[in-house]
Amino acid sequence: MDPSDDQTACFEAGIKFGSLYHQFAGTPVSPASADSLARAMEEAIENQPHCESVTVEVLTDELSAELSDSAADYTELTGQFLDVEMVIDYEDTEVHTRMDMQDGYPLMRVEDIRAKD
Amino acid sequence: MDPSDDQTACFEAGIKFGSLYHQFAGTPVSPASADSLARAMEEAIENQPHCESVTVEVLTDELSAELSDSAADYTELTGQFLDVEMVIDYEDTEVHTRMDMQDGYPLMRVEDIRAKD
Amino acid sequence: MDPSDDQTACFEAGIKFGSLYHQFAGTPVSPASADSLARAMEEAIENQPHCESVTVEVLTDELSAELSDSAADYTELTGQFLDVEMVIDYEDTEVHTRMDMQDGYPLMRVEDIRAKD
Amino acid sequence: MDPSDDQTACFEAGIKFGSLYHQFAGTPVSPASADSLARAMEEAIENQPHCESVTVEVLTDELSAELSDSAADYTELTGQFLDVEMVIDYEDTEVHTRMDMQDGYPLMRVEDIRAKD
């Protein structure tokens, strides 16, 4: 069966999450460089088709906590330092998605699917 | 509205495609190393949740054609050298997806959504 | 033979170039998002040990030229769109390095090695 | 001052390490998929200029230990699961390099620089 518009919208939303995560995971990051990385992630992924908006927060409190136990002053970006929201817009469907930590794992999920007015 | 199982299945399928592409794009590749890269891509992404199977072909004819015009003997992996099929399995839904070149661009798409027996 | 300080400085310089390139190659980029990506690349790599400064220019004229021949309004970051300078500082040695296009290939090279005052 | 052959050899060695790490960090990996990933990493980086040999071990005991404390059956590749040796060959110089865990951090280092016979 061919996908419906809302199924394609969900597929497109997933592509953006996988892209964002695997493009940027591993980037050296510190509290001081968190903001420029978050902006670059947003603007990079917003280039992709049907991507209405991306909001990335790099969790500097979590970064600082991790680094306080460490001899290093930076670490590598992983999901534990990220809170991401995205809105995908495909034909008449809008998909709202989010990634944040749930039970110790970064969970990507669809929060809302709505028909546009 | 919360996603239905088939919508979640499509979201999960998209995640795998974005992950596969942005994890491995840019990898140095030659006709001789194409096969080990394809196997690693398949086995890496099959680790992800709900990922039933991944089949990656790195197009060695396309690689050889590109390199014949070049002073180099390898290039960086991009979508023009890839043909990928994936099956995602979420609850009672199976999603069949594919990426290959269409009109000069690597196109990721859902080919079939079916209820499992 | 163990490495001398200037040899270690050159090794460290190479690490930063390989890191920068393979972390960010493949990122979706357009003329409008070039600047945020360049800033993130600079600040990310400056986190690494012995990295005194990183200057990244994403070549928006080259990007615009590529996109004018294309149906897409973004592309993936590769070396043809980058001009990068880095200064590495290890013990008493400073290494100046650069990557830009030479004869159609992005060439990473050491431009100067100097003893610090 | 222009770099000498041994300094350039060390620079080239660093490039390969940064490339290997930042291309493959973040890849989904399990004990079962460790071997295909290690082979792909070796063959990919051996494509790069002046790269004589790459030997990658993905530490499956470390992976299993990490996963035994986890609800997941895979994790993301980071330096704690890697032991890498590389030989770089530039003009008359051979550089032997290694990355493994030292004091809780993945340390990349030059182990030996020798003139070739």
Side-chain angles (χ1 to χ4, degrees):
Chain A
M1 201 178 72
D2 280 345
S4 60
D5 282 358
D6 58 278
Q7 291 168 331
T8 299
C10 290
F11 180 67
E12 291 290 332
I15 291 173
K16 274 67 184 171
F17 257 117
S19 298
L20 179 145
Y21 195 85
H22 286 274
Q23 182 62 57
F24 293 102
T27 302
V29 65
S30 62
S33 72
D35 194 58
S36 64
L37 182 55
R39 294 300 82 70
M41 292 171 76
E42 292 173 348
E43 294 194 12
I45 301 301
E46 285 175 350
N47 282 315
Q48 293 189 328
H50 316 298
C51 192
E52 185 65 20
S53 71
V54 181
T55 308
V56 175
E57 189 183 357
V58 175
L59 305 171
T60 51
D61 287 355
E62 300 289 330
L63 275 179
S64 296
E66 168 102 354
L67 295 173
S68 69
D69 297 333
S70 164
D73 51 11
Y74 74 100
T75 188
E76 297 173 15
L77 186 70
T78 65
Q80 74 188 107
F81 305 117
L82 286 173
D83 192 331
V84 180
E85 291 181 44
M86 286 203 252
V87 181
I88 271 57
D89 192 334
Y90 182 81
E91 301 291 340
D92 293 328
T93 304
E94 206 175 78
V95 178
H96 292 246
T97 62
R98 185 177 194 117
M99 182 181 75
D100 57 16
M101 294 300 281
Q102 302 284 333
D103 300 324
Y105 294 94
L107 185 66
M108 303 175 185
R109 60 193 184 279
V110 175
E111 292 202 311
D112 190 26
I113 301 172
R114 59 179 83 150
K116 293 196 295 186
D117 300 327
Chain B
M1 201 179 69
D2 281 345
S4 60
D5 282 358
D6 58 276
Q7 291 168 332
T8 300
C10 290
F11 180 67
E12 291 291 332
I15 290 173
K16 275 68 184 170
F17 258 116
S19 298
L20 179 145
Y21 196 85
H22 286 273
Q23 182 62 56
F24 293 102
T27 302
V29 65
S30 62
S33 72
D35 194 58
S36 64
L37 182 55
R39 293 299 83 70
M41 293 171 75
E42 291 173 349
E43 294 195 11
I45 301 302
E46 285 176 351
N47 283 314
Q48 294 190 326
H50 316 299
C51 191
E52 184 65 20
S53 71
V54 181
T55 308
V56 175
E57 188 183 358
V58 176
L59 304 171
T60 50
D61 287 354
E62 300 289 330
L63 274 178
S64 296
E66 167 103 353
L67 294 173
S68 69
D69 297 332
S70 163
D73 51 10
Y74 74 101
T75 188
E76 297 173 15
L77 186 70
T78 65
Q80 74 187 106
F81 305 117
L82 285 173
D83 191 331
V84 180
E85 290 181 44
M86 284 203 253
V87 181
I88 271 56
D89 192 335
Y90 182 80
E91 301 292 339
D92 292 328
T93 304
E94 206 175 78
V95 178
H96 292 247
T97 63
R98 184 177 195 117
M99 181 180 76
D100 57 16
M101 294 300 281
Q102 302 284 332
D103 301 323
Y105 294 93
L107 185 67
M108 303 174 185
R109 61 193 183 279
V110 175
E111 292 201 311
D112 190 26
I113 301 173
R114 59 179 84 151
K116 293 196 296 186
D117 301 327
Chain C
M1 200 179 72
D2 280 345
S4 60
D5 282 357
D6 58 277
Q7 291 168 330
T8 299
C10 290
F11 180 67
E12 291 290 333
I15 291 173
K16 274 68 183 169
F17 257 118
S19 298
L20 180 144
Y21 196 85
H22 286 274
Q23 182 62 56
F24 293 103
T27 302
V29 66
S30 61
S33 72
D35 195 58
S36 64
L37 182 55
R39 294 299 83 69
M41 293 171 75
E42 292 173 347
E43 293 195 12
I45 301 301
E46 285 175 351
N47 282 314
Q48 293 190 326
H50 316 299
C51 191
E52 184 66 20
S53 71
V54 181
T55 308
V56 175
E57 187 182 359
V58 175
L59 304 172
T60 50
D61 287 355
E62 300 290 330
L63 274 179
S64 296
E66 167 103 353
L67 294 174
S68 69
D69 296 333
S70 164
D73 50 10
Y74 74 101
T75 188
E76 298 173 15
L77 187 70
T78 65
Q80 74 188 106
F81 305 117
L82 286 173
D83 191 332
V84 179
E85 290 181 46
M86 286 202 253
V87 181
I88 271 55
D89 191 335
Y90 183 82
E91 301 294 338
D92 293 329
T93 305
E94 206 175 78
V95 179
H96 292 245
T97 63
R98 183 177 196 118
M99 182 181 74
D100 57 16
M101 295 300 282
Q102 302 284 333
D103 301 324
Y105 294 93
L107 185 67
M108 304 174 185
R109 61 193 183 278
V110 175
E111 292 201 312
D112 190 27
I113 301 172
R114 58 179 84 150
K116 293 196 294 185
D117 299 327
Chain D
M1 203 178 72
D2 280 346
S4 61
D5 281 357
D6 57 278
Q7 291 168 330
T8 299
C10 290
F11 181 66
E12 291 290 332
I15 291 174
K16 275 69 184 168
F17 257 118
S19 298
L20 180 144
Y21 196 84
H22 286 274
Q23 182 62 57
F24 293 102
T27 302
V29 66
S30 62
S33 73
D35 194 58
S36 64
L37 182 56
R39 294 299 83 68
M41 293 172 75
E42 292 173 348
E43 294 195 11
I45 301 302
E46 284 175 351
N47 283 314
Q48 294 190 326
H50 316 298
C51 191
E52 185 65 19
S53 71
V54 181
T55 308
V56 174
E57 188 183 357
V58 176
L59 304 171
T60 50
D61 287 354
E62 300 291 329
L63 274 178
S64 296
E66 166 102 353
L67 294 173
S68 69
D69 298 332
S70 163
D73 52 9
Y74 74 101
T75 188
E76 298 172 15
L77 187 70
T78 65
Q80 76 187 105
F81 304 118
L82 286 173
D83 191 332
V84 179
E85 290 181 44
M86 285 202 254
V87 181
I88 271 56
D89 191 335
Y90 182 82
E91 301 292 339
D92 292 329
T93 304
E94 204 174 81
V95 179
H96 292 246
T97 63
R98 183 175 195 120
M99 181 180 76
D100 57 15
M101 295 300 282
Q102 302 285 332
D103 301 324
Y105 294 93
L107 185 67
M108 303 174 186
R109 60 193 184 280
V110 174
E111 292 202 310
D112 190 27
I113 300 172
R114 59 179 83 149
K116 293 196 295 185
D117 299 328

